[in-house]
Amino acid sequence: MTAPLITILDDEPAIRNMLTDALEEAGYRTLSFARAKEFSAALTKFTPDVCLVDLSLPDTDGLTLVHKLALEQGAIVIIISGRALVQDKVTGLELGADDYIIKPFDPAEVVARIRARLRTTKAEQIVGKTAQFAGWAVFFDQYVMEDADGGQTGFSHAEGEVLRLFLENPKRLISRAQMQDNLGGAASESFDRAMDVRISRLRTKLREDPKNPQLIKTIYGAGYIFLGDVDWT
């Protein structure tokens, strides 16, 4: 079985070398890049399992790249950045990143977070790849949902995690604490805001009335509940 491929995009050689050594020692394959241009060119030749992305890149805005990776690659995206402000963290998560690690960090922490994310992804693959509800079909292996007329809408890996959690637990209340336990991340304002944004985007993609959603209901002070009947294939 081929080991997961982790890409590292950071313009600091010491960071790239440290992460490469730690990840390869943990059994992962790695490729590292100093510039977004060479990284983007390489993505036409392979699909990584996890992308580690620094925000302060010399040739592009890291946040723009994170958004593109989340929507187009379907890879797990983890930001590694020296930007410690809550707003930077919130923005990164809102744009589709799965996690946010602040520099300086212990490489063992990065390895642990990657393992946790990959375990979640592996469990998702075992459960099933396609769900159907209310005229929609969701293809988790393609990061696409399809309406009754065949129209397709893409979603990010981070949005897919939230959607799968709902679809695996229909008509059951899911609290913030349960979301945190299942999706990872420390309890914080940035985590809560990221979840709110992902749920809002899912509602938009499902063409829900924002004032009166019929599928993903907010139970104020308690959490969320998905009201559709779900069939897995």
Side-chain angles (χ1 to χ4, degrees), residues 74-116:
I76 297 168
V77 181
I78 298 177
I79 293 172
I80 49 174
S81 176
R83 302 181 192 176
L85 294 176
V86 170
Q87 187 55 51
D88 289 321
K89 192 171 184 179
V90 169
T91 300
L93 294 171
E94 287 179 348
L95 288 175
D98 294 271
D99 208 344
Y100 193 111
I101 301 175
I102 298 171
K103 297 178 181 178
F105 52 76
D106 186 330
E109 178 189 2
V110 179
V111 172
R113 295 213 198 179
I114 288 173
R115 279 179 175 155

Side-chain angles (χ1 to χ4, degrees), residues 22-36:
L23 289 165
E24 291 185 352
E25 184 176 346
Y28 298 115
R29 296 178 295 141
T30 67
L31 287 173
S32 62
F33 305 88
R35 298 289 185 275

Side-chain angles (χ1 to χ4, degrees), residues 1-12:
M1 181 176 169
T2 304
L5 174 62
I6 318 297
T7 58
I8 304 160
L9 176 56
D10 195 299
D11 65 329
E12 298 181 57

Side-chain angles (χ1 to χ4, degrees), residues 126-157:
I126 292 172
V127 170
K129 293 182 178 179
T130 305
Q132 296 181 339
F133 60 91
W136 289 93
V138 181
F139 302 93
F140 284 97
D141 56 339
Q142 301 174 42
Y143 296 91
V144 163
M145 57 177 110
E146 186 174 280
D147 63 24
D149 297 322
Q152 293 189 338
T153 303
F155 55 87
S156 70
H157 181 274

Side-chain angles (χ1 to χ4, degrees), residues 94 145 159 162-163 166 176 179 192-211 213 216-218 224:
E94 287 179 348
M145 57 177 110
E159 291 166 348
V162 177
L163 181 58
F166 285 137
R176 292 279 188 172
M179 295 181 77
D192 288 344
R193 284 188 58 185
M195 291 303 104
D196 290 340
V197 169
R198 291 174 193 176
I199 291 167
S200 176
R201 287 180 176 169
L202 286 172
R203 283 172 171 158
T204 298
K205 291 177 180 182
L206 291 169
R207 301 168 196 159
E208 293 256 75
D209 179 351
K211 296 182 180 179
I216 304 174
K217 284 280 190 181
T218 300
Y224 299 92

